[in-house]
Amino acid sequence: MSTIQTIAENYQSFNPRAYLQNNYIPPRADFDNPGSVVPWKLRCLADACASGEIGGQLMVDIGTGPTVYQLLSAFELFKEVVLTDYLEVNREEIRKWLRGEAGTFDWGPYIKHVCNIEGKGEPWEEKQNRLRARVSKVIPVDIHQPCPLGKELGPGSIDTLVSSFCLEACSPDYGAFKKALGNITRLLKPGGHFLMIGALEESFYLAGEAKLSVVSLTEEMTKKALCDAGYKIRDFRAYVMPQSMRTDVDDTKGIFFAWAQKETK
Ligand SMILES: C[S@@+](CC[C@H](N)C(=O)[O-])C[C@H]1O[C@@H](n2cnc3c(N)ncnc32)[C@H](O)[C@@H]1O
């Protein structure tokens, strides 16, 4: 049986490059196929961000990993963006991309796609430069701590949280998942927004040598956890993973997107 400690030990062999190859190239990231999962995720995020209701001073992404696709619509709405991860190897991968170092993952096709959704006719390189300039720091996080970002950012200090495939992928069971959700929710200002993406009915995923266990969530479990943590659900969408996108790198049956807003009382 997994514990928070055994999960932390398993993450020590997480390989960012292998994780990126498993999840962020075709068929899962096929921009010519509107049924592909990555375009679906980007559309969900773009729609919430186009509502005009999200924005402010500070946005924080919890468990950024080696990816930036989850920021591409939302970062535009904030003065400052902070990225976080539990592993130094992921924080370093992101810092290298922020510095524009050769050999890092090419997020260009993702950025072009989001520019197309936004329809402003902007050269995609400008968005990439803006994102790189908007990120102020990449810091450690542990969602299982009562203060996940330590002294850096305390309760009620964040306008909007983003988190993709983190909470269910680092928690041993539903109880720990809910507790971790409570820990990060305390960081949000009352009325603050949370854009969350996660796996449905997944039990494991691979990242190189690492095999990580995942809390298997249903749509109902996810919605209940958000409501119990003090959120009003503003939008909830689910995607069924088509057979063509099911590979041996995980056993996920689907993906959810939630736009949730922290109650003000
Ligand atoms: C499945 S990856 C998600 C990466 C990325 N956000 C994405 O959308 O693909 C899970 C991430 O959670 C991080 N993680 C592991 N343990 C954690 C913990 N205790 N607190 C916060 N993040 C953790 C891992 O390092 C990894 O980057």
Side-chain angles (χ1 to χ4, degrees):
M1 218 186 68
S2 296
T3 63
I4 287 172
Q5 197 185 338
T6 58
I7 289 175
E9 283 161 15
N10 283 347
Y11 266 102
Q12 298 312 310
S13 49
F14 181 98
N15 179 330
R17 297 295 170 99
Y19 177 73
L20 289 165
Q21 289 302 310
N22 289 349
N23 294 287
Y24 296 107
I25 61 168
R28 291 188 173 185
D30 180 353
F31 296 102
D32 295 326
N33 173 8
S36 176
V37 59
V38 164
W40 181 85
K41 292 189 274 188
L42 295 176
R43 166 59 70 181
C44 291
L45 291 161
D47 287 350
C49 293
S51 67
E53 294 192 49
I54 298 173
Q57 174 65 35
L58 177 63
M59 173 177 114
V60 176
D61 181 23
I62 301 290
T64 301
T67 72
V68 299
Y69 71 90
Q70 67 275 26
L71 312 166
L72 295 175
S73 294
F75 86 90
E76 303 276 12
L77 309 171
F78 296 87
K79 292 200 169 71
E80 181 186 356
V81 174
V82 171
L83 307 185
T84 73
D85 202 75
Y86 184 70
L87 296 176
E88 173 57 18
V89 71
N90 282 334
R91 298 193 296 269
E92 192 47 28
E93 190 69 27
I94 285 291
R95 288 190 197 107
K96 282 184 187 159
W97 182 82
L98 290 171
R99 291 193 294 261
E101 283 188 21
T104 53
F105 193 79
D106 178 14
W107 294 104
Y110 287 68
I111 302 171
K112 270 181 224 161
H113 187 78
V114 175
C115 285
N116 287 341
I117 295 177
E118 290 174 354
K120 296 179 192 148
E122 175 188 40
W124 68 271
E125 293 88 345
E126 288 183 12
K127 191 190 243 310
Q128 176 165 273
N129 292 342
R130 256 196 327 276
L131 171 57
R132 286 176 165 152
R134 198 72 51 91
V135 175
S136 61
K137 52 192 167 188
V138 185
I139 60 174
V141 65
D142 184 351
I143 57 167
H144 301 303
Q145 298 301 319
C147 289
L149 299 170
K151 292 194 180 121
E152 286 263 12
L153 289 165
S157 60
I158 298 170
D159 295 287
T160 286
L161 287 173
V162 173
S163 189
S164 50
F165 303 99
C166 177
L167 274 65
E168 73 281 13
C170 318
S171 302
D173 52 44
Y174 186 52
F177 169 87
K178 289 185 74 175
K179 197 167 173 192
L181 180 59
N183 291 340
I184 66 166
T185 300
R186 268 194 302 282
L187 300 171
L188 257 189
K189 290 179 184 168
H193 296 271
F194 182 22
L195 300 174
M196 184 181 192
I197 295 178
L200 291 169
E201 294 178 54
E202 181 176 49
S203 74
F204 79 93
Y205 76 97
L206 304 179
E209 295 290 303
K211 181 175 182 179
L212 293 314
S213 63
V214 179
V215 178
S216 180
L217 297 172
T218 62
E219 287 183 45
E220 290 64 36
M221 287 164 77
T222 310
K223 288 179 193 164
K224 180 168 174 14
L226 287 166
C227 293
D228 289 352
Y231 289 101
K232 182 175 172 202
I233 295 176
R234 303 291 307 273
D235 190 14
F236 191 96
R237 304 183 193 181
Y239 171 95
V240 177
M241 191 66 87
Q243 209 56 48
S244 59
M245 265 161 255
R246 295 193 186 192
T247 63
D248 56 6
V249 299
D250 59 45
D251 64 349
T252 188
K253 310 292 181 303
I255 309 285
F256 70 85
F257 164 76
W259 166 18
Q261 186 170 15
K262 188 173 170 178
E263 301 280 6
T264 45
K265 56 178 167 31

